[in-house]
Amino acid sequence: MSKPLPVFEEWPLRIPRFAKDAEKAKQWTAALKEAPTGEEAFKIWKKMSRLEESVLDEATHIQVLYSIDTRKEEYKKANDACNEGLPRFDAESVEFQRALLASPHRAYLEKKLGSFYFQKAEVSIQSFDSRIVEEVVEENKLMSEYGALIASISISFQGETYNHTQMQKFLESPDRALRKAASEAYYSYMEGIADQLEDIFDKLVKVRTKMAKKMGYDSYTPLGYLRMQRYDYTPEMVKEYREKIHEVVTPIAEKIKRAQFARNKIRSPKVYDMALTFPEGNPLPKGSTEDKVKAAEKMYDELSPETSYYFRDMVDHHLLDLDAKPGKESGGYMTNFSKEKVPFIFSNFNGTSGDVDVLTHEFGHSFQFYMARSIKVPENRMPTSESCEIDSMSMEFFAEPWMNLFFDEPDRYRYTHLAEAIVFLPYGATVDEFQHWVYANPEATPEERDAEWHSLEEKYTPYKIRCYKGCAYMEKGRRWLTQAHIFENPFYYIDYTLAQVVAFEFFNLDRKNHELAWKRYVKLCKMGGRYPFLTLLKKDHMKSPFDEGTLQKSIRPLLKQLRSYKID
Ligand code: ZN
């Protein structure tokens, strides 16, 4: 019997010995090349896989600790060591993959590991090798610099200081004068660090372009697609899909926004009016963080035996770090530990309804991991990111019947959640088109980038532009500077929109036939990363967002649903 897992705080911090581990990986690669039989080759693969798991788990542990407190010297040092050492180890990993692809025992290994595994190996050798280690080290450093700069945001407001996430609450206040004052404090602070942010991004674009050239690509875009492990769709398909969002969703989003301003009796909306959904204030979740976790326990107890067991497992092992704190990185994420076979949730609760979104979203990711954790090949547990986001975004909708546990006026939350999910699509398309432009024009100046962002906002979200008057930061086109994915996960954004459309399909099905919707959802989670995105959808009888008509068909029932909520 294995030892019980200690609570998260008791896990010892270990910095991987990257040089030694890279040497070991080199030995396994040599041994694989010499393996006399398929069986022997598979044994060597197993050893390599265990080595990769332990290096990755230790590095993940460090990244989690650092993101929770970027100010702590011990974590910063360990994180720096990972930024530097991990790409060097990865370079050896890629050499192992190369040997695997060339192995005379490939047929035997494919039977053991699955043919998709080999497709993934192919992509990993096309997207990374020892030629670009220095550039990846540099990229890691710049991304950490960005994370730390955003985490260090501390805005003086009404005698207190607040970080990026904590300011949100004031920006949503029903008191317009308070919103205005908060917005002025926020944007004047952001103006102060904008040049630094632009500078970090400029360096990122340059270093990414350099690595693409070294790997033999014309620009970063094809390399970016490979790094995102996109197997079954292309930039052209994505472009067409973005245009569909523009055509179908932008006018609907415009209507939703207009209705919001009318409800709030705001004639000429400003940037500080955008986040307020109801005149009395946005629906706020009840109680403390502990209360929210208790409510989630009850919800997951009732949803299914599996959700009950696994949510409690996370709570029992302290695998959630939920509250916003000084020095903490912004945003929310779920990550996992392959050897311990547990996920971890990181978020920044700030007392808004976003707390509930993030809890259900990240638990959706966690649930998928639990469902697939017994798949023997670690690489086949987690699907690619757009598929991962289906699991999380659909969980947000499966949770809707329990929103009375979190809100006094649950329909107001449901309305806000659904309306925002629709309005999100044109924003997601903006972020994606922006990135395609950025990497097609790597020599553009920061001013040109901002101008491009501004013109894309005009295209996809014209209703926002009208609110920007009087806010120099937004008028300049700088909203993207706080969109972390643009810095830290290039091209990871259209994924959310693709997943959102599938999640809408789950939501529509859930209201018609909960049992069937849940069954399909669990099946999708269990398939893990055994197949690429479009194959997963097909096997689960779900429609592809790229297909003609999918977008319209998913959205139509939602408009009726929006009208059904009791919000007055
Ligand atoms: Zn997610």
Side-chain angles (χ1 to χ4, degrees):
M1 250 198 34
S2 57
K3 267 194 296 177
L5 182 69
V7 292
F8 185 75
E9 306 86 271
E10 286 171 15
W11 295 13
L13 185 153
R14 272 195 218 104
I15 302 174
R17 287 169 298 174
F18 291 107
K20 218 175 142 207
D21 293 332
E23 203 43 54
K24 221 187 255 168
K26 223 179 225 169
Q27 285 167 17
W28 295 136
T29 305
L32 180 68
K33 285 177 182 165
E34 301 297 319
T37 61
E39 222 169 295
E40 200 55 43
F42 184 60
K43 266 190 206 153
I44 295 164
W45 173 85
K46 266 197 201 152
K47 284 177 186 163
M48 180 64 186
S49 178
R50 269 200 292 272
L51 175 67
E52 285 172 335
E53 256 189 328
S54 79
V55 171
L56 208 62
D57 278 2
E58 284 168 2
T60 303
H61 184 214
I62 289 166
Q63 283 153 358
V64 169
L65 292 173
Y66 176 69
S67 66
I68 292 171
D69 192 353
T70 57
R71 299 169 310 176
K72 203 164 169 176
E73 202 45 45
E74 186 191 11
Y75 299 163
K76 192 182 171 327
K77 261 195 190 149
N79 189 60
D80 287 347
C82 290
N83 282 346
E84 184 76 35
L86 206 50
R88 295 178 205 288
F89 176 77
D90 287 345
E92 290 308 328
S93 243
V94 165
E95 289 315 308
F96 187 84
Q97 305 278 307
R98 207 188 294 281
L100 211 55
L101 286 164
S103 169
H105 312 298
R106 180 161 164 174
Y108 181 89
L109 292 166
E110 270 201 43
K111 245 188 240 150
K112 288 279 187 189
L113 303 169
S115 58
F116 187 42
Y117 180 93
F118 279 81
Q119 211 178 331
K120 286 191 248 193
E122 199 80 62
V123 162
S124 64
I125 67 166
Q126 287 164 5
S127 56
F128 180 69
D129 64 33
S130 56
R131 281 176 291 174
I132 58 166
V133 166
E134 294 312 319
E135 285 75 19
V136 174
V137 169
E138 171 71 12
E139 184 191 30
N140 283 344
K141 277 186 196 154
L142 290 165
M143 293 192 296
S144 288
E145 214 179 292
Y146 172 77
L149 185 55
I150 296 291
S152 75
I153 289 176
S154 116
I155 297 161
S156 304
F157 184 60
Q158 299 191 326
E160 299 274 346
T161 55
Y162 300 96
N163 72 12
H164 187 250
T165 323
Q166 291 166 325
M167 280 307 281
Q168 196 53 38
K169 203 166 176 164
F170 301 112
L171 298 168
E172 291 182 6
S173 162
D175 175 348
R176 197 173 191 210
L178 181 68
R179 286 204 304 277
K180 183 169 188 271
S183 160
E184 280 163 5
Y186 173 76
Y187 288 109
S188 86
Y189 185 96
M190 290 310 297
E191 278 287 355
I193 61 166
D195 287 344
Q196 261 170 287
L197 294 169
E198 299 265 14
D199 185 50
I200 294 173
F201 190 65
D202 194 63
K203 288 180 182 152
L204 278 168
V205 173
K206 302 260 151 58
V207 80
R208 285 176 184 148
T209 303
K210 195 171 160 197
M211 59 173 96
K213 296 260 157 82
K214 275 194 174 177
M215 293 293 289
Y217 303 100
D218 289 338
S219 77
Y220 179 71
T221 306
L223 177 59
Y225 269 61
L226 289 170
R227 289 175 106 196
M228 284 302 297
Q229 300 190 302
R230 290 191 178 146
Y231 303 95
D232 45 8
Y233 58 98
T234 62
E236 291 70 35
M237 287 165 76
V238 170
K239 185 170 182 235
E240 225 175 89
Y241 167 70
R242 283 196 310 257
E243 292 310 320
K244 269 184 223 151
I245 291 180
H246 178 234
E247 190 191 314
V248 176
V249 192
T250 294
I252 297 173
E254 167 108 44
K255 268 189 209 149
I256 290 174
K257 280 309 203 189
R258 253 202 227 136
Q260 174 193 334
F261 297 134
R263 211 166 40 236
N264 295 343
K265 300 193 172 53
I266 293 167
R267 283 233 173 136
S268 119
K270 298 281 184 257
V271 70
Y272 47 82
D273 296 318
M274 287 165 59
L276 179 70
T277 321
F278 297 102
E280 300 80 11
N282 292 2
L284 295 180
K286 302 183 264 192
S288 63
T289 296
E290 220 173 288
D291 297 328
K292 287 170 209 157
V293 171
K294 281 270 166 281
E297 272 179 355
K298 184 168 164 45
M299 165 172 74
Y300 287 126
D301 284 349
E302 291 174 9
L303 178 58
S304 79
E306 292 92 340
T307 47
S308 167
Y309 181 83
Y310 292 120
F311 188 75
R312 284 172 182 273
D313 190 57
M314 295 196 76
V315 174
D316 291 346
H317 294 102
H318 302 187
L319 297 167
L320 311 104
D321 195 278
L322 300 173
D323 286 317
K325 286 175 275 202
K328 192 168 173 178
E329 278 190 356
S330 68
Y333 65 75
M334 166 275 187
T335 188
N336 69 75
F337 297 95
S338 184
K339 267 166 84 178
E340 310 296 357
K341 291 201 169 59
V342 289
F344 186 92
I345 291 179
F346 168 101
S347 71
N348 277 280
F349 276 18
N350 61 356
T352 68
S353 63
D355 296 357
V356 177
D357 301 339
V358 82
L359 188 60
T360 53
H361 179 102
E362 303 305 343
F363 183 66
H365 284 306
S366 307
F367 182 70
Q368 186 277 319
F369 178 76
Y370 276 120
M371 288 290 99
R373 66 176 175 172
S374 53
I375 294 177
K376 285 211 174 69
V377 180
E379 287 85 350
N380 291 346
R381 287 177 198 151
M382 301 288 288
T384 45
S385 54
E386 69 297 86
S387 309
C388 282
E389 298 304 341
I390 301 173
D391 306 323
S392 53
M393 291 171 133
S394 304
M395 182 63 100
E396 293 178 38
F397 286 121
F398 280 117
E400 293 228 329
W402 286 272
M403 286 304 115
N404 57 317
L405 299 174
F406 296 90
F407 297 92
D408 287 326
E409 292 169 309
D411 261 11
R412 284 198 164 189
Y413 169 79
R414 292 183 186 113
Y415 177 91
T416 309
H417 179 243
L418 183 55
E420 278 178 4
I422 298 169
V423 170
F424 170 74
L425 294 177
Y427 174 71
T430 310
V431 173
D432 186 64
E433 190 163 335
F434 178 67
Q435 296 187 85
H436 282 83
W437 185 89
V438 161
Y439 294 106
N441 299 280
E443 296 304 324
T445 63
E447 292 73 27
E448 286 168 332
R449 278 185 204 121
D450 294 347
E452 177 63 19
W453 174 267
H454 190 82
S455 81
L456 289 172
E457 282 196 314
E458 263 171 342
K459 171 181 171 183
Y460 286 105
T461 53
Y463 41 89
K464 284 190 185 172
I465 298 289
R466 294 195 282 278
C467 303
Y468 288 166
K469 234 185 184 146
C471 177
Y473 184 86
M474 295 299 244
E475 277 191 301
K476 259 185 238 166
R478 290 184 142 176
R479 161 70 183 90
W480 64 275
L481 291 173
T482 45
Q483 187 55 64
H485 298 71
I486 296 176
F487 288 74
E488 295 171 346
N489 301 90
F491 291 112
Y492 190 145
Y493 217 75
I494 204 66
D495 305 59
Y496 289 117
T497 72
L498 293 166
Q500 187 73 75
V501 175
V502 183
F504 286 157
E505 207 187 325
F506 270 116
F507 183 46
N508 292 329
L509 184 61
D510 191 36
R511 291 198 322 278
K512 275 192 239 154
N513 184 344
H514 170 72
E515 222 164 286
L516 179 64
W518 184 252
K519 204 174 119 195
R520 281 192 190 172
Y521 175 73
V522 171
K523 183 182 168 195
L524 185 70
C525 292
K526 279 186 175 166
M527 281 192 279
R530 283 206 196 98
Y531 310 102
F533 176 53
L534 296 177
T535 313
L536 278 174
L537 290 181
K538 209 173 213 168
K539 285 193 181 284
D540 208 31
H541 306 287
M542 300 299 279
K543 289 187 204 76
S544 157
F546 293 116
D547 286 353
E548 197 53 52
T550 301
L551 199 54
Q552 288 92 324
K553 260 182 235 148
S554 315
I555 301 255
R556 219 174 293 137
L558 302 179
L559 301 177
K560 207 172 135 207
Q561 184 67 21
L562 275 181
R563 285 193 294 272
S564 78
Y565 292 129
K566 291 182 199 70
I567 56 170
D568 298 320

